[in-house]
Structures are given as structure tokens and as C-alpha cells.
Amino acid sequence: MARIKEGFKGERMLSLPQDILHKYSQHPLVKPLFIFIFGFFPKVKYHYVQKDQGVDYCLLLYCVAGKGWYEMDNHERVTIETNQFIILPPHVPYRFGADEENPWSIYWIHFGGKLANDFVIHPLKPRFILPDKTSRLQDRLDLFEEIYANFSMAY
């Protein structure tokens, strides 16, 4: 099976340069919780990421179409389906990827700060955001677009 981390047709992603990230992450208003890389990958066949040592940030994966999977710390494979999300904690080995038959479209965010771990929901399993009047689903997607637009304007 082919494996691709990034470089997909239609992908959108932005990240802060290291020097800006360092300054940004030390600011008293931002230090508790900050985003430093995020994106959207549409129908990403062969998407695969593996972090054998884990990472020092939290990772939000939100599937808006198709499905994918993740494994943490060499445990069982868990499926993530449309309208589900998971927040992977820092410092835990993981891998994830798109389903071969029905590859996912995902929004994803790497975030850190003193409060980042407070967003990790235990037990670690996919959670639903079902489209209904109270989900504010479109508001969430609009917020992503607003953050993307702001980051695009030189941070």
C-alpha cells in the first residue's frame, strides 16, 4: 500500500515559522493554548502518518467525509468515521491513516500550551459531532476558515 503524509490535491495547510512560534508561544495571552499548524485534506487516499516517539503537542483529527483509523501505543486499530473527531495526546506513539476504500476528508490541528491536555477527552475514543441545530457545525467550519484567513495574512 502506498503511504503519503502530505502533498495531496486540494490540501490546505499553514504553519508558523519556528522563530514566530517561539515568540508567539511565550506571550502571556497565547501561552496557555495555541495553534501552530493546521489544515484540511480532502479525500486523501493513501494518507498515513506514524510517530514512533509521539510528539510534544496535541493533535485534533476531525473527519468530515469518508473514514480513517488510528492506533496509539501499539494498541488496537480504531476507526474514525464521518462526523467524528479524536484528540490524540502528546508523548504517546501513534499512527493513523485513511481508509483504502473510502478515504477520509479531515480537518486537523496541532496545538499546544499549558491547557492543551485539558482538551484530551478520556477514554480516548472517537466522538461524534452530529449535524443538527445545536451542533454549530457550520460555525466550527467557519471558524477554521477565519483562522486560516488570519494565518494567511502573515500571522
Side-chain angles (χ1 to χ4, degrees):
M1 171 178 81
R3 294 180 172 177
I4 304 170
K5 183 178 178 183
E6 58 189 53
F8 302 100
K9 182 179 180 179
E11 79 175 30
R12 295 186 305 147
M13 63 185 223
L14 288 171
S15 63
L16 290 174
Q18 281 301 118
D19 60 329
I20 292 175
L21 176 60
H22 179 73
K23 211 183 303 184
Y24 172 72
S25 67
Q26 298 308 308
H27 190 282
L29 293 176
V30 178
K31 189 174 187 173
L33 187 66
F34 55 89
I35 294 171
F36 56 91
I37 183 170
F38 64 105
F40 174 71
F41 289 172
K43 279 195 120 172
V44 289
K45 193 168 186 173
Y46 308 122
H47 183 219
Y48 179 84
V49 175
Q50 182 168 341
K51 300 292 184 180
D52 291 330
Q53 305 303 314
V55 292
D56 61 355
Y57 52 82
C58 291
L59 170 61
L60 167 75
L61 296 169
Y62 174 46
C63 179
V64 294
K67 62 184 176 176
W69 56 271
Y70 71 93
E71 295 174 9
M72 289 184 47
D73 214 8
N74 295 316
H75 288 97
E76 70 183 73
R77 184 172 285 198
V78 178
T79 300
I80 303 175
E81 298 179 0
T82 300
N83 296 320
Q84 287 188 318
F85 74 94
I86 185 73
I87 298 175
L88 302 178
H91 312 295
V92 177
Y94 66 78
R95 61 188 184 152
F96 60 82
D99 182 79
E100 289 183 40
E101 301 298 316
N102 186 13
W104 61 11
S105 293
I106 57 169
Y107 287 92
W108 53 272
I109 300 173
H110 296 185
F111 63 99
K114 291 182 178 184
L115 298 177
N117 279 331
D118 293 344
F119 288 86
V120 177
I121 303 168
H122 294 280
L124 293 170
K125 63 180 186 175
R127 308 293 172 150
F128 277 99
I129 301 177
L130 296 175
D132 65 23
K133 291 180 182 179
T134 61
S135 71
R136 299 181 6 254
L137 190 54
Q138 191 56 53
D139 292 342
R140 295 168 197 261
L141 299 178
D142 290 345
L143 182 57
F144 174 88
E145 295 301 332
E146 184 176 341
I147 293 168
Y148 191 89
N150 283 317
F151 268 57
S152 296
M153 294 186 294
Y155 322 110

